[in-house]
Structures are given as C-alpha cells and as structure tokens.
Amino acid sequence: MAPKQKSILIFCPTFFGYENRMAEAFRDEGFEVCLYDERPSRSFICKAALRLNLKFYKPVVRNYLKKIIKENKDKQFEYVFVVKSESFGEKEVAMLREAYPEAKLILYFWDSVANVPDGEKKIALYDRVLTFDPNDSEKYNLPFLPVPYGKEYTKAKEIEKYEYDVAFIGTAHSVRPRVVKQIKEQCEQMGKKCFTCFYSPHIFVYLLNRFTNKDYKYISRKEINFKSLSTQEVCDIYNSSRCVMDIEHPRQNGITTRPIEMLSMKKKIITTNPYVKQFDFYNENNFLIIDRNDPKIDKSFFETEYLPVDEEVLYKYSPKKFVETILG
C-alpha cells in the first residue's frame, strides 16, 4: 500500500506570484496543497480594512474562512501554513484549530511584525512562527528564513547580448520613484539602456501617494501600472537584463526577495540595502550598494562579469530548503 500523501492548507496573500511559488515548493516535496488567498478579497476596501484593522470587517473574514473550511470538510491537513496573518486573529486561528485539530499551525512573517496588525500578539497563536526579518528574529527569538527564489528563476537562458543594462520592476512606494529615476538618468547618461515598471494596486493608492509622497513628483501617471506583470513576464525582462535594481522600503529590515531571486538568474544587483553584506552570497563584484539619499552609479560596475555563488550557498535559499526550515 502506498504511503498516504502529506497535505497542507496554505493561506498566502496574492502578491506577484509568490503564493504560487510557495505552494509549488511544497508540491515538489510531495505535498497535496490547498492554496487560498489569506484575504477575502483583493479589493482596495478589503486591503485598507485589514491594514487598518477595522472591526467592522472581521465578520467578512470569518465568513470567508467558514466557506474554505466547508469546502475542505472531508480533509484532515497535517499542516496549516499562514503567510503574514494580516486577516487572521485569535478567533480565526481558533476556527482553524477546531476544524483541523491534528494540524500543526505555522505562521511565516514575510513582512516585519510591526507592519502586521497586532503582529506581536499573533506570535503566541501558532505552533511555529518564522520571520524574514533579522531584527524580528532576534527580538522575538524566531527562526530567520528569507523568501526563497522560485523554480522559474532557475530556467533562465544564457543571453549573448542583453536588451537592457538595468531593470526595475516593483511597487511605487516610499522613495522608490525618486531613487529609481535618479539611477535611470545616470545610467542613460552613460549610454546604458534601462527598463522600469512601477506598480500601484489601485488608482486611489496612486492618488493618495500623489498628494502625500513628495517623491511621486519623479514619475507621471503614464508610468504607473495598475495590473502587475505575470511571473513569466518578470522573468523574461530580468533574463534580458545585465543588472537589476533593488530599492527596499525604508521601514523594512533585512533584504528583499530580489537579491535572492537573482542568485539563480546570475544577475548583478544595484541596491540601497547595505544589509546584503551580511549574507554569504555577497561579493562586491556582484553588488553595487548606493545611498538612497544621494545615489551614485559607478560605471565600472557594468564592466565586470557576474561571479556565480557556490552551489551549497545557492541551496540555502532554494524552495526545498525553505520547506525543510518551515516544517522544522
């Protein structure tokens, strides 16, 4: 008789295909995966209500969770894996425990605890909690685990001639519009070709930033995309680029996913994040660290080839290692 297939219920925000990356990582390790968005809706109202932790929206979350539990009433999951837990509080976690009493509940913060409503209180609700934030790891004594690169980034083809020298794809938040445009201007003055794609989740978010974020004056409405690129489109653009820009949010600790994703694509990184120096994949040939307040590009950075990292280092940031660490 064949052994029973392992099963996991995953709740993860829909965000640039990362939810599918995590689900695929577990499938590759032999799991039957049921994947749901952690949020009841992708609407602006839902995102705002959750971010502001508005009580009137709690019944919507619970009805959404009841529906999912009903859909899976005949299943007994070994694990329930929640990413970020922006929607789920004490009552929602209790509902999951009642529905799946044998399951181990695991929480993964892919944002800083301070950026999650009641984040610190949620740590005690789960059986195992991990974080991508090194400061939170130390502060709350949680295992540190960066978001892994996806399999799609390992399929990059060798490029004889790059279409772009530098590429940026990301949400237009905080100082990013200014820093990206300042870097682009310098690169183009050097004769380098740049690709930039700014994303905003909703027109209201764009308008709010337009009136409250002084760095939004660096970009026009025409440069904003309200529909995110597909994972394949992102991969194709990065694969066609010599270097990739990485501008982290000022409130974020640790590194973004970008440097890790680019490990398997063998791309050089221009970043405002000095924390990359603390990682075992760092070398000054592959990373150009710049000051977000006064970004300066060194032309010589484009004149050296990428130096690949060791396979054992690459494995540490792989989907397989991610699953192993999540399950403990």
Side-chain angles (χ1 to χ4, degrees):
M1 182 181 294
K4 181 183 176 183
Q5 187 177 21
K6 298 173 288 186
S7 60
I8 187 168
L9 174 61
I10 299 178
F11 293 95
C12 180
T14 300
F15 185 73
F16 289 103
Y18 290 171
E19 71 285 357
N20 295 318
R21 179 186 306 180
M22 293 190 179
E24 192 66 23
F26 281 96
R27 290 192 185 101
D28 286 346
E29 297 307 308
F31 278 84
E32 176 189 1
V33 176
C34 290
L35 172 65
Y36 293 90
D37 196 317
E38 196 228 343
R39 302 165 298 197
S41 166
R42 297 182 64 186
S43 70
F44 174 73
I45 292 175
C46 173
K47 292 177 181 178
L50 293 175
R51 186 61 55 88
L52 297 173
N53 204 19
L54 301 178
K55 291 185 178 180
F56 83 87
Y57 204 75
K58 296 295 184 182
V60 177
V61 174
R62 287 172 200 142
N63 286 334
Y64 171 68
L65 186 54
K66 285 178 184 177
K67 179 183 176 182
I68 292 172
I69 290 173
K70 185 176 180 180
E71 287 178 4
N72 296 279
K73 63 182 179 180
D74 297 326
K75 295 181 180 178
Q76 285 301 320
F77 296 101
E78 294 174 73
Y79 301 94
V80 175
F81 180 44
V82 179
V83 178
K84 193 170 182 179
S85 195
E86 193 171 44
S87 296
F88 298 165
E90 187 173 355
K91 290 185 178 179
E92 290 74 27
V93 173
M95 289 170 63
L96 289 168
R97 287 201 181 279
E98 182 179 358
Y100 310 109
E102 302 299 319
K104 185 174 184 178
L105 270 60
I106 303 173
L107 169 60
Y108 177 55
F109 285 113
W110 74 1
D111 202 346
S112 298
V113 171
N115 292 338
V116 178
D118 294 327
E120 188 171 350
K121 295 179 181 178
K122 292 177 179 178
I123 293 174
L125 302 178
Y126 293 82
D127 300 314
R128 179 168 169 78
V129 182
L130 306 93
T131 178
F132 100 116
D133 186 322
N135 289 351
D136 284 346
S137 174
E138 185 174 340
K139 181 178 179 180
Y140 301 108
N141 193 28
L142 303 175
F144 170 64
L145 180 63
V147 177
Y149 60 79
K151 282 198 308 183
E152 63 272 16
Y153 289 94
T154 66
K155 300 175 183 177
K157 298 177 182 178
E158 292 292 333
I159 299 292
E160 291 185 8
K161 185 176 181 181
Y162 293 107
E163 185 174 356
Y164 307 105
D165 293 288
V166 183
F168 170 82
I169 301 171
T171 305
H173 63 54
S174 62
V175 301
R176 270 183 176 173
R178 173 181 58 80
V179 178
V180 170
K181 292 303 285 288
Q182 287 175 334
I183 293 173
K184 181 179 180 181
E185 183 180 0
Q186 291 180 54
C187 289
E188 289 179 342
Q189 288 174 353
M190 297 175 189
K192 305 301 180 184
K193 188 176 180 181
C194 299
F195 176 92
T196 59
C197 178
F198 292 99
Y199 168 75
S200 181
H202 198 278
I203 184 65
F204 291 145
V205 176
Y206 165 75
L207 292 173
L208 178 63
N209 276 294
R210 199 74 191 168
F211 289 106
T212 61
N213 184 350
K214 67 182 187 307
D215 289 317
Y216 253 63
K217 68 182 180 182
Y218 287 84
I219 54 175
S220 67
R221 165 64 183 82
K222 292 180 179 179
E223 293 177 275
I224 293 289
N225 296 274
F226 296 105
K227 180 181 179 182
S228 61
L229 299 178
S230 69
T231 301
Q232 190 57 55
E233 287 173 324
V234 172
C235 284
D236 289 345
I237 292 166
Y238 284 156
N239 194 44
S240 301
S241 305
R242 179 181 297 277
C243 307
V244 172
M245 268 192 258
D246 172 52
I247 316 298
E248 89 282 15
H249 196 290
R251 293 200 308 268
Q252 180 178 324
N253 296 310
I255 61 171
T256 65
T257 58
R258 198 68 68 240
I260 291 173
E261 289 170 342
M262 295 303 102
L263 287 177
S264 58
M265 293 195 85
K266 302 178 181 179
K267 300 297 177 182
K268 304 184 82 170
I269 302 284
I270 298 172
T271 181
T272 53
N273 193 342
Y275 190 77
V276 293
K277 287 184 176 181
Q278 300 186 34
F279 282 77
D280 48 6
F281 54 70
Y282 173 79
N283 72 65
E284 61 183 14
N285 180 82
N286 294 346
F287 288 87
L288 176 62
I289 300 174
I290 59 174
D291 182 350
R292 68 172 63 247
N293 297 314
D294 186 25
K296 300 292 184 184
I297 300 300
D298 185 346
K299 188 176 182 180
S300 65
F301 184 67
F302 297 103
E303 297 170 354
T304 58
E305 295 299 319
Y306 178 88
L307 296 179
V309 299
D310 293 339
E311 286 298 320
E312 56 209 41
V313 173
L314 189 62
Y315 173 73
K316 288 175 62 176
Y317 304 96
S318 67
K320 182 178 180 64
K321 183 62 177 178
F322 180 81
V323 172
E324 291 175 358
T325 306
I326 286 292
L327 301 182

